[in-house]
């Protein structure tokens, strides 16, 4: 098969990804072989490719928003049959034995492993996934529409819950890419007033089209104090900006796996009055099930831009440069061209 590999982590303006030939992966015990049909392009893929995250698997194939079909092995015991459409997400493995797993916090498991970082992901013709971490997918959405839900949607949902938004509350979203525009739809459907603060004019326009009450530059103040905020942009300089925008008792959730350094915080203007800062670490399978069910009920839809999988480096460059709103999705054309 053909697959993209991170040959030399570095800026995507260079040549960190290489298209390589590899054997079709052999699934291990309890794993499924999945033929990739589409794979979303996540900012975490960018961090893996550029080396912001430490190398866990040399030459790894990125991609963890995978929509595909089960190519084998599958049987009634693992809940899947050949030909079933299946989703492969970021969280790939947890130990199931530690105290974190025992209390339902498997996202904090010290032995957790991740698709497209610890194991090869979906920028390829085929990938594998443990059956226990594969997600059945609803039949009413096409592959491209579903792909961003499998990470951008799930992590946005967990970040929204971590932000402790009160009913009918005022929510600020800093950055408005793949995850934020899905998070916004859930918050709006649940009755929140949403204020978007982001650098891109196209992203601000999308926010208003989706129903945001306002859309301003990331460093501006929203038109009213916020009960909660979520920082999606991996920009540490925005942490004090967001904290100043919070009302008394407000909560800031930081959604990214990577964040540039946070500048010193002023206690009186940025932390006093019981303001809180919370990080967000991956997600649980329960988060994924809850979000996918909720998204189907609420009609959450990703704004997508399709690229051929053969153009994965271009999609990552466009993501890095902020050239599109919503989410990019790679559609597998490698099988036809190999």
């Amino acid at each position: 098969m053909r697959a993209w590999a991170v040959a030399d982590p570095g800026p995507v303006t260079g040549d960190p990804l290489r298209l390589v030939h590899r054997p079709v992966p052999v699934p291990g015990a309890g794993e499924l072989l999945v033929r990739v049909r589409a794979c979303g392009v996540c900012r975490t893929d960018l961090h893996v490719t550029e080396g912001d995250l430490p190398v866990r698997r040399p030459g790894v194939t990125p991609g963890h928003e995978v929509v595909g079909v089960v190519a084998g092995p599958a049987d009634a015991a693992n809940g899947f049959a050949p030909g079933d459409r299946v989703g492969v997400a970021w969280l790939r493995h947890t130990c199931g034995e530690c105290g974190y797993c025992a209390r339902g916090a498997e996202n904090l498991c010290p032995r957790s492993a991740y698709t497209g970082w610890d194991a090869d992901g979906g920028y390829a013709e085929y990938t594998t996934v443990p059956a226990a971490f594969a997600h059945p997918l609803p039949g009413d959405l096409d592959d491209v529409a579903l792909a961003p839900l499998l990470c951008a949607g799930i992590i946005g949902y967990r970040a929204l819950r971590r932000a402790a938004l009160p009913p009918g509350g005022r929510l600020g979203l800093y950055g408005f890419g793949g995850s934020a525009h899905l998070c916004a739809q859930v918050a709006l459907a649940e009755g929140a007033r949403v204020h978007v603060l982001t650098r891109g004019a196209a992203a601000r326009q999308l926010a208003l089209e989706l129903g945001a009450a306002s859309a301003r530059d990331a460093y501006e103040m929203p038109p009213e104090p916020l009960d909660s905020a979520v920082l999606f942009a991996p920009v540490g300089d925005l942490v004090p900006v967001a904290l100043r925008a919070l009302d008394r008792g407000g909560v800031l959730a930081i959604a990214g796996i990577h964040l540039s350094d946070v500048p010193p915080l002023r206690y009186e203007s940025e932390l006093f009055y019981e303001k809180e800062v919370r990080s967000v670490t991956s997600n649980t399978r329960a988060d994924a099930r809850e979000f996918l069910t909720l998204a189907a009920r609420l009609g959450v839809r990703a704004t997508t831009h399709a690229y051929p999988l053969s153009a994965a480096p271009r999609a990552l460059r466009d993501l890095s440069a902020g050239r599109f709103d919503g989410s990019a999705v790679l559609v597998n054309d490698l099988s036809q061209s190999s």
Side-chain angles (χ1 to χ4, degrees):
M1 70 168 188
R2 300 172 80 189
W4 288 102
V6 182
D8 185 18
V12 290
T13 52
D15 191 25
L17 281 182
R18 304 287 170 78
L19 189 59
V20 299
H21 287 267
R22 287 178 172 166
V24 173
V26 177
E31 293 185 349
L32 305 173
L33 177 65
V34 176
R35 180 169 58 82
V36 175
R37 300 207 309 206
C39 185
V41 179
C42 179
R43 187 161 291 275
T44 302
D45 301 337
L46 188 63
H47 295 317
V48 169
T49 301
E50 295 198 315
D52 296 326
L53 296 179
V55 175
R56 296 269 192 96
R57 179 182 177 87
V60 72
T61 294
H64 56 274
E65 295 179 338
V66 181
V67 176
V69 294
V70 176
D75 55 44
N78 62 33
F80 295 95
D84 284 352
R85 190 164 65 153
V86 67
V88 182
W90 176 238
L91 185 66
R92 179 186 177 85
H93 168 80
T94 57
C95 73
E97 300 170 349
C98 67
Y100 303 105
C101 289
R103 70 173 193 241
E106 66 179 4
N107 60 306
L108 301 179
C109 175
R111 288 184 276 172
S112 57
Y114 301 95
T115 309
W117 191 20
D118 296 291
D120 291 330
Y123 288 22
E125 294 182 59
Y126 290 89
T127 190
T128 63
V129 61
F133 287 80
H135 299 287
L137 296 176
D140 58 338
L141 287 179
D142 64 31
D143 299 338
V144 170
L146 273 169
L149 303 186
L150 288 163
C151 180
I154 295 168
I155 201 66
Y157 174 73
R158 183 172 182 86
L160 179 62
R161 296 300 182 240
R162 290 281 291 162
L165 181 67
R170 301 157 296 176
L171 175 68
L173 300 178
Y174 287 81
F176 202 69
S179 194
H181 89 291
L182 297 170
C183 173
Q185 292 177 56
V186 174
L188 288 164
E190 294 180 339
R193 282 176 59 82
V194 175
H195 300 284
V196 169
L197 301 114
T198 192
R199 66 178 181 175
R204 292 195 294 269
Q205 181 60 39
L206 175 61
L208 295 173
E209 291 171 359
L210 290 174
S214 72
R216 299 182 175 184
D217 183 79
Y219 289 89
E220 292 186 42
M221 289 293 287
E224 60 182 337
L226 305 173
D227 298 301
S228 303
V230 181
L231 176 58
F232 288 101
V235 181
D237 285 348
L238 287 174
V239 171
V241 174
L243 286 169
R244 288 193 293 271
L246 290 178
D247 205 349
R248 300 180 183 207
V251 176
L252 169 64
I254 300 174
I257 192 173
H258 171 78
L259 187 71
S260 61
D261 289 343
V262 178
L265 299 177
R266 298 182 183 91
Y267 181 68
E268 183 174 356
S269 60
E270 293 155 7
L271 290 172
F272 196 50
Y273 296 119
E274 299 191 353
K275 297 180 182 181
E276 296 183 44
V277 180
R278 299 178 178 178
S279 64
V280 180
T281 300
S282 184
N283 61 270
T284 67
R285 283 171 286 178
D287 292 329
R289 290 190 292 267
E290 289 170 13
F291 170 71
L292 291 171
T293 300
L294 186 65
R297 178 168 64 81
L298 297 178
V300 173
R301 296 292 183 268
T303 296
T304 57
H305 304 272
Y307 292 72
L309 182 51
S310 58
R314 176 163 58 89
L316 282 174
R317 288 193 295 270
D318 289 351
L319 172 63
S320 179
R323 294 193 182 104
F324 55 78
D325 55 7
S327 300
V329 179
L330 304 173
V331 178
N332 185 5
D333 65 331
L334 298 182
S335 297
Q336 290 74 35
S337 60
S338 60

